[in-house]
């Protein structure tokens, strides 16, 4: 078995020296009841990426409104339409929130995102099921009407 190489005098200067108190503080820091908070360091972050403009954020909101409008057209009535001025107003009122949070949910909402996404998925499944049932019932009515029309034509002939 080979022993570690002895430290040469020129390497000795490179060794860090800590007091016994430093070592105790370091060892005790593992037992702290609080988590590390990077916001309490004096390290300054690198340049932040350029934030999204209000116009771009309003465009994102407007696209979401158009998707909602399309869904409502399918669900409620084929001629449903958002008022264009109101949709634009909503887009510009919501846009600062998109810019503020960078397109992510606010910090107070983040812990509930799993629940929100689960509710959204369940709601979407329920909605699509309702639409399918509505379509099937409409097809049944059309089939019955066609069968009645055929019976009426046979009786008339």
């Amino acid at each position: 078995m080979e022993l570690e190489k002895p430290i040469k005098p020129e390497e000795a200067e490179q060794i860090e020296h800590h007091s016994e108190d430093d070592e105790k503080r370091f060892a005790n820091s593992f037992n702290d009841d609080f988590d590390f908070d990077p916001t309490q360091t004096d390290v300054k972050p690198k340049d932040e990426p350029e934030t999204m403009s209000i116009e771009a954020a309003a465009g994102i909101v407007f696209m979401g409104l158009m998707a909602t409008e399309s869904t409502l057209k399918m669900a409620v009535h084929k001629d449903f339409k958002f008022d264009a001025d109101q949709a634009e107003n909503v887009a510009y009122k919501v846009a600062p929130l998109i810019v503020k949070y960078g397109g992510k949910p606010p910090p107070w909402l983040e812990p509930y995102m799993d629940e929100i996404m689960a509710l959204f998925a369940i709601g979407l499944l329920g909605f699509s099921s309702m639409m399918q049932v509505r379509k099937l019932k409409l097809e049944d009515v059309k089939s019955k009407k066609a069968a009645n029309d055929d019976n009426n034509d046979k009786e008339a002939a």
Side-chain angles (χ1 to χ4, degrees):
M1 183 170 169
E2 191 175 317
L3 296 175
E4 288 185 25
K5 295 193 287 183
I7 298 175
K8 297 177 185 174
E10 57 272 2
E11 293 175 350
E13 293 176 20
Q14 297 173 359
I15 297 175
E16 291 184 33
H17 296 281
H18 301 284
S19 70
E20 200 170 302
D21 288 339
D22 291 337
E23 291 175 8
K24 285 180 184 176
R25 273 196 305 276
F26 176 73
N28 289 334
S29 71
F30 294 115
N31 298 327
D32 290 343
D33 289 335
F34 61 90
D35 290 333
F36 171 71
D37 184 2
T39 62
Q40 294 190 5
T41 64
D42 58 352
V43 177
K44 294 184 179 181
K46 293 182 180 179
D47 293 334
E48 294 289 324
E50 190 174 316
T51 58
M52 184 184 313
S53 73
I54 294 291
E55 292 294 321
I60 291 169
V61 175
F62 196 72
M63 288 174 55
L65 288 171
M66 293 303 101
T68 303
E69 181 181 81
S70 296
T71 303
L72 289 171
K73 280 184 179 190
M74 290 187 309
V76 180
H77 194 278
K78 63 182 174 83
D79 294 329
F80 175 83
K81 206 161 125 178
F82 283 136
D83 177 80
D85 291 336
Q86 286 180 333
E88 185 176 345
N89 186 37
V90 167
Y92 280 97
K93 294 291 184 188
V94 175
L97 295 175
I98 301 293
V99 171
K100 180 178 181 179
Y101 295 111
K104 296 178 183 176
W108 57 267
L109 192 58
E110 283 182 16
Y112 306 104
M113 285 311 295
D114 291 337
E115 290 81 355
I116 291 168
M117 295 309 291
L119 285 173
F120 181 74
I122 292 167
L124 190 57
L125 178 64
F127 176 74
S128 64
S129 298
M130 181 187 75
M131 294 305 297
Q132 182 181 6
V133 168
R134 180 189 254 180
K135 183 179 177 184
L136 292 171
K137 286 183 177 182
L138 185 62
E139 289 173 3
D140 287 346
V141 168
K142 287 180 181 179
S143 296
K144 285 182 183 179
K145 185 178 180 191
N148 286 341
D149 288 346
D150 286 344
N151 286 340
N152 290 339
D153 289 343
K154 288 180 184 178
E155 290 175 10

